[in-house]
Amino acid sequence: MGIVRSRRSGARHADDGFFGPGSVTWKVWSYPTSPALGFLRAVVVEELDPFLLASVEQSGQVKARPRLRYDRTMQYFATIKFGDTASVLAAADTLMKIHARAVGTDPVTGREYDANDPASQLWIHLTAWHSILYTYEVFGPGKLTPAEEEQYWLECARAAEFQTIDPADVPRTRADVRAYFASYRPRLIASESAQSMMDFLLDADAIVLPPELPAPLRRLFTAVTRRAVIATLPRWMRRLGGTPQPGVVDALAVALTRPVIRLVAASTTLQLAVLRAASPRTVPVLEPVLRRTPSRRPGVTRPAEAYAVHGPTPREQYTALLEARARRQGPAPYPPAHREPLLDFA
């Protein structure tokens, strides 16, 4: 993209990126519900989309390298929300390149999938933003004020500009978000592969925890986390995913998890310790936010302003990619279960 990556002096960002310390995004996404509960809920729900599942199954990275996949995904999400301008644009460009090869035929529907397709991107985007907010409400401080929630969904639309999504397609209210999920529901498929992947992701210790932790702690973490995530899923989704759970278990899981989350939230040192263990790549991005370290150049940039200087936008890149494919010049799809080196977001 022809941009220079940001340089940091210690744990300090070059600027405030696209949201900044006054944003609701920083308030919600920096809360400790995000790295485990919010993220896990999002990826579990996403697997019910057959196109996303086909892409995940083709690459094989989730099951082959779960810790690395989690670490990199957390790094990407954190960079978009908390990174400085240059870092965000570079991460968005890298994601486009990664997804450019994630194309193929979905074995369940027989239709073509494309990880950069705007409709697929919107499903992932909204599932993540909704899950992060919902787990913040259930296990954290509770609901936002009406003004904060309105701002949250406006910022969700702003973040969509770093993908191929048309911001006009992003819902702006909770009611519109619910309507979107209701309209998307007929596309979801509870295939055997989907249920297997959801079950794998709910065994969170293999994804989040470092392998050197004692086995009893790992089993306890998964036992509680699995049930806490399922407690946030609607009943119809649990039936699709093959993850039934009684209401009394829901209540117990929430009651056990909420005080732990709030304990972690009360200590920046503890939050960073947990983050270093779970996602070391995310620490340099999130540490200045958690420590409230001001950037070297305070101020928020608008995506249109940044892309006017550093373009093209992801949507423009996608148009060019489709044109290249039409000429049979696009990048080759990933081979099944590939072990190729991964592009770095940092």
Side-chain angles (χ1 to χ4, degrees):
M1 289 178 63
I3 66 173
V4 178
R5 294 178 185 269
S6 62
R7 297 177 182 176
R8 296 186 176 90
S9 176
R12 196 176 183 191
H13 290 308
D15 57 54
D16 290 332
F18 296 90
F19 299 98
S23 67
V24 183
T25 295
W26 277 32
K27 175 179 180 177
V28 174
W29 282 76
S30 66
Y31 197 78
T33 43
S34 296
L37 298 171
F39 173 83
L40 289 172
R41 184 188 191 278
V43 295
V44 165
V45 171
E46 287 167 5
E47 303 307 322
L48 290 170
D49 177 9
F51 293 163
L52 178 139
L53 178 66
S55 176
V56 168
E57 291 273 277
Q58 178 214 33
S59 73
Q61 300 306 298
V62 170
K63 289 187 175 180
R65 297 186 272 193
R67 284 266 302 155
L68 178 61
R69 180 66 179 258
Y70 168 79
D71 194 13
R72 284 167 49 82
T73 305
M74 284 299 304
Q75 178 192 19
Y76 166 78
F77 276 132
T79 300
I80 296 298
K81 279 67 180 181
F82 308 110
D84 51 47
T85 301
S87 297
V88 173
L89 297 180
D93 187 55
T94 299
L95 187 70
M96 284 292 303
K97 290 182 171 67
I98 292 171
H99 283 168
R101 299 181 60 194
V103 294
T105 302
D106 167 33
V108 175
T109 65
R111 297 170 58 192
E112 297 300 307
Y113 67 85
D114 177 351
N116 272 325
D117 177 74
S120 294
Q121 290 279 292
L122 182 59
W123 162 251
I124 297 169
H125 185 71
L126 284 179
T127 302
W129 278 74
H130 175 262
S131 293
I132 295 298
L133 177 59
Y134 190 52
T135 53
Y136 176 90
E137 293 173 340
V138 173
F139 302 101
K143 289 186 177 295
L144 301 173
T145 67
E148 286 176 326
E149 180 158 342
E150 180 182 8
Q151 185 62 34
Y152 183 81
W153 294 116
L154 287 173
E155 291 169 4
C156 173
R158 187 186 310 165
E161 297 189 53
F162 303 112
Q163 296 173 258
T164 61
I165 303 162
D166 184 345
D169 293 335
V170 181
R172 298 301 202 276
T173 67
R174 186 179 295 246
D176 288 343
V177 172
R178 287 172 175 160
Y180 168 82
F181 284 123
S183 70
Y184 208 90
R185 182 173 171 179
R187 309 185 200 184
L188 306 181
I189 297 177
S191 65
E192 185 176 333
S193 294
Q195 293 185 351
S196 172
M197 186 62 71
M198 293 170 74
D199 184 64
F200 176 81
L201 292 168
L202 285 167
D203 283 339
D205 69 296
I207 300 167
V208 177
L209 298 183
E212 60 270 16
L213 276 183
L217 287 179
R218 300 174 67 88
R219 287 195 293 269
L220 176 63
F221 177 83
T222 287
V224 176
T225 303
R226 166 185 280 266
R227 287 159 180 80
V229 171
I230 292 173
T232 67
L233 301 180
R235 298 289 173 181
W236 67 265
M237 193 173 286
R238 300 185 201 191
R239 290 192 294 271
L240 275 181
T243 56
Q245 183 167 282
V248 65
V249 177
D250 292 351
L252 182 59
V254 172
L256 289 173
T257 305
R258 186 181 288 149
V260 175
I261 292 292
R262 293 181 177 178
L263 176 66
V264 174
S267 168
T268 299
T269 300
L270 187 54
Q271 288 182 69
L272 287 170
V274 171
L275 196 61
R276 286 189 186 97
S279 179
R281 284 176 168 82
T282 306
V283 174
V285 185
L286 196 51
E287 184 172 7
V289 175
L290 295 178
R291 294 194 185 279
R292 293 182 172 84
T293 305
S295 66
R296 295 203 300 271
R297 190 173 63 254
V300 174
T301 307
R302 293 189 176 276
E305 296 170 348
Y307 279 118
V309 177
H310 302 296
T313 68
R315 293 178 67 198
E316 291 168 341
Q317 291 181 63
Y318 186 56
T319 298
L321 177 61
L322 293 178
E323 292 171 352
R325 285 180 188 158
R327 300 191 301 269
R328 299 188 178 183
Q329 295 177 350
Y334 291 114
H338 74 89
R339 300 292 293 184
E340 299 177 19
L342 301 175
L343 296 177
D344 195 354
F345 287 116

